[in-house]
Amino acid sequence: MTVPCSGPTGGASGLVEAVKQVNADGRGVIRLSANCNYDFTAPAETGTRGGDALPIIKGEITIIGGPSTHIRRTGGPKFRLFEVFTGAQLTIRGIFVEGGDSGDFTGGGILSARGTLHLFQVTLRNNTADNGAGLSNDSGTAVVSYTLITDNTTVHPNGSGGGGAAIYSDGRLSVDFSRLSRNSANSSGGGVYNELGGSATFFRTTLDENTAKIHGGGLLNGVGGRARLVRTLVEDNRASDGGGIYRDQEAGPVLLDDSLVIRNAPNNCRPVGSVPGCS
């Protein structure tokens, strides 16, 4: 189905109704207008993890936009934009996902809670959350391709939490031909926070100019996490330690395959020797 930019069946309200319909049908494709802003000022649903601009994805849904199609939170209370339910699948293509704010909850732009998420030619920017400001992959599967994740911020009122400004993941994560840039974490993992059995693979991707107050300006590989970087660049990230990559002592391996970790401050990888091939 097609949701026009305006009119009685268009805009943000039309998109809400379209998601409801596809959820009821079980699967479907929603096409959005080019050069259109679908602006939200209130959540469609509020659950145990805060509010969502759109109904929680419970079927198999593909949403296609572009060029210059925006789904945005532009005011009102704090709420994220997308949430994917357990066992559901969401594919987003050619859309800007902006301005989500889940407050003290995870996933400011998108939360996939044991679901499956595919992002293709998406821009995730200016989203805020306790962790996973751009994207929170909570024990699910996330495939991110040809996507820009930028200017997302993690915050927490008491100073705790706040990890994974671009992406938080404790599931299966694949990022290829993408860029994670200028994201800022209140604690660790300015670019990515990968932990608790999470498996993260990066292919021909750049993590640059991300910051973390504590560890892992580019990537924090936490307890039980494992990561592989293939032809990937990690540069110009900052943290108090492990400006590029920080590997927790109880984490799995971080493998560099024809990848560069350079010009990060105050160092590239920590602890010393924890990431083979990184000085």
Side-chain angles (χ1 to χ4, degrees), residues 83-127:
E83 181 174 347
V84 185
F85 193 69
T86 300
Q89 179 175 309
L90 172 64
T91 299
I92 304 175
R93 298 180 58 183
I95 294 175
F96 289 78
V97 178
E98 304 171 293
D101 187 344
S102 59
D104 294 344
F105 297 99
T106 188
I110 304 172
L111 165 61
S112 180
R114 297 173 179 83
T116 300
L117 176 70
H118 297 270
L119 302 181
F120 182 78
Q121 293 182 338
V122 168
T123 296
L124 272 171
R125 69 183 182 189
N126 297 327
N127 300 288

Side-chain angles (χ1 to χ4, degrees), residues 218-229:
L219 167 66
L220 185 287
N221 197 50
V223 176
R226 55 195 185 280
R228 184 183 182 196
L229 289 72

Side-chain angles (χ1 to χ4, degrees), residues 188-276:
S188 297
V192 177
Y193 198 124
N194 177 58
E195 66 169 351
L196 300 178
S199 174
T201 302
F202 305 88
F203 179 73
R204 289 189 180 273
T205 287
T206 297
L207 291 79
D208 70 308
E209 297 186 49
N210 303 288
T211 61
K213 285 188 177 180
I214 305 175
H215 293 145
L219 167 66
L220 185 287
N221 197 50
V223 176
R226 55 195 185 280
R228 184 183 182 196
L229 289 72
V230 181
R231 298 185 181 182
T232 286
L233 176 63
V234 182
E235 70 170 347
D236 297 327
N237 302 284
R238 300 183 63 87
S240 64
D241 197 23
I245 299 173
Y246 189 92
R247 177 183 169 225
D248 190 276
Q249 62 181 357
E250 297 181 26
V254 177
L255 304 177
L256 301 181
D257 186 351
D258 198 21
S259 294
L260 291 175
V261 185
I262 57 175
R263 293 191 295 273
N264 301 283
N267 40 50
N268 287 316
C269 298
R270 284 294 185 271
V272 175
S274 64
V275 180

Side-chain angles (χ1 to χ4, degrees), residues 103-104 129-131 154-163 185-188 193 213-214:
D104 294 344
D130 173 40
N131 58 63
T154 61
V155 296
H156 196 283
N158 66 14
S160 64
N186 188 54
S187 60
S188 297
Y193 198 124
K213 285 188 177 180
I214 305 175

Side-chain angles (χ1 to χ4, degrees), residues 4-26:
C5 193
S6 59
T9 62
S13 61
L15 180 52
V16 168
E17 293 306 312
V19 171
K20 288 180 180 178
Q21 182 62 57
V22 178
N23 271 338
D25 294 343

Side-chain angles (χ1 to χ4, degrees), residues 23-47:
N23 271 338
D25 294 343
R27 65 175 58 190
V29 177
I30 300 171
R31 299 183 183 275
L32 304 183
S33 298
N35 304 304
C36 178
N37 297 327
Y38 294 80
D39 290 342
F40 292 82
T41 57
E45 290 189 16
T46 300

